[in-house]
Amino acid sequence: NSTLTPADKNSIEMETAEILSGPGGAFIYHFTTTDEYKRFYIDLYEYHSGELYTKKRVMELGFDGIGSPENGAIFIVPDNEAFTVKLIFVADGYRIQTEAPILEAVDDREYYGRGASEITEKTQVRYNEEQALLALIYDNDTMSTVSVDSIIKGQTKLFAENDYMYFFAFEFRK
């Protein structure tokens, strides 16, 4: 039974990650896989006022011929001072880190309000299918949060009043 589970917000692991990450906080997800997979992806969808602006693959890992890790964790750490998001994959001897910029060329971005919506419970991994993970939301006046599941289903009108949203989706590909 392959699953992805958010870390307990009251755990020592989470409290430590939040201290180390600073005011942007941290998001940690533990995974357990029972099937072999050849690739792991994280895609980033950037929305401006509810409209898709860009989609880019921000993490791609290959396990062809070397065996995929069964257990691990995904860390997503917004750095609201450097205006980047760190993505970290840790599993069975692997430690991969990358960054993605946020709020590029946005005037007065340091004054924007911040919010997040994420998966909140254990989620079944559906191989070869993109699944919702986390949405980081930024707005300079009124902000509305929605479930990450509504985003992956394309219900973007629900968050059109948010100035900027960065939606992260993951996929284990066989």
Side-chain angles (χ1 to χ4, degrees):
N1 214 6
S2 299
T3 59
L4 185 89
T5 307
D8 180 352
K9 296 292 184 197
N10 298 316
S11 69
I12 291 173
E13 170 190 40
M14 194 64 177
E15 289 181 15
T16 303
E18 288 180 353
I19 289 168
L20 294 173
S21 66
F27 302 88
I28 304 172
Y29 308 94
H30 297 278
F31 67 84
T32 300
T33 58
T34 54
D35 294 7
E36 191 78 15
Y37 54 96
K38 293 182 178 168
R39 297 251 181 258
F40 172 78
Y41 303 117
I42 295 181
D43 289 337
L44 171 58
Y45 296 77
E46 180 178 345
Y47 290 87
H48 295 188
S49 300
E51 298 293 323
L52 181 62
Y53 179 71
T54 62
K55 175 192 177 189
K56 54 188 159 191
R57 181 144 293 154
V58 291
M59 182 173 279
E60 179 174 356
L61 305 174
F63 302 101
D64 290 335
I66 58 174
S68 56
E70 293 179 12
N71 299 294
I74 301 159
F75 294 74
I76 299 179
V77 184
D79 183 338
N80 294 317
E81 293 174 0
F83 298 101
T84 60
V85 176
K86 290 182 179 95
L87 299 126
I88 303 165
F89 178 95
V90 179
D92 298 340
Y94 295 94
R95 187 184 315 153
I96 312 298
Q97 178 177 326
T98 189
E99 290 187 358
I102 56 172
L103 298 175
E104 288 184 296
V106 174
D107 293 333
D108 298 322
R109 63 190 181 174
E110 60 272 14
Y111 301 111
Y112 273 61
R114 302 170 183 107
S117 179
E118 65 176 321
I119 61 170
T120 56
E121 55 193 33
K122 183 182 282 191
T123 301
Q124 290 296 125
V125 169
R126 296 184 303 273
Y127 292 95
N128 304 322
E129 184 179 325
E130 195 169 57
Q131 293 179 257
L133 189 60
L134 170 71
L136 299 173
I137 302 163
Y138 298 87
D139 199 282
N140 66 354
D141 49 31
T142 305
M143 185 181 309
S144 114
T145 59
V146 295
S147 80
V148 288
D149 289 329
S150 65
I151 300 165
I152 201 115
K153 292 175 184 169
Q155 298 168 342
T156 58
K157 299 292 184 232
L158 298 171
F159 52 84
E161 68 186 51
N162 295 321
D163 292 335
Y164 301 94
M165 185 179 70
Y166 298 86
F167 171 64
F168 296 89
F170 72 94
E171 180 180 352
F172 289 91
R173 172 87 45 96
K174 288 185 174 183

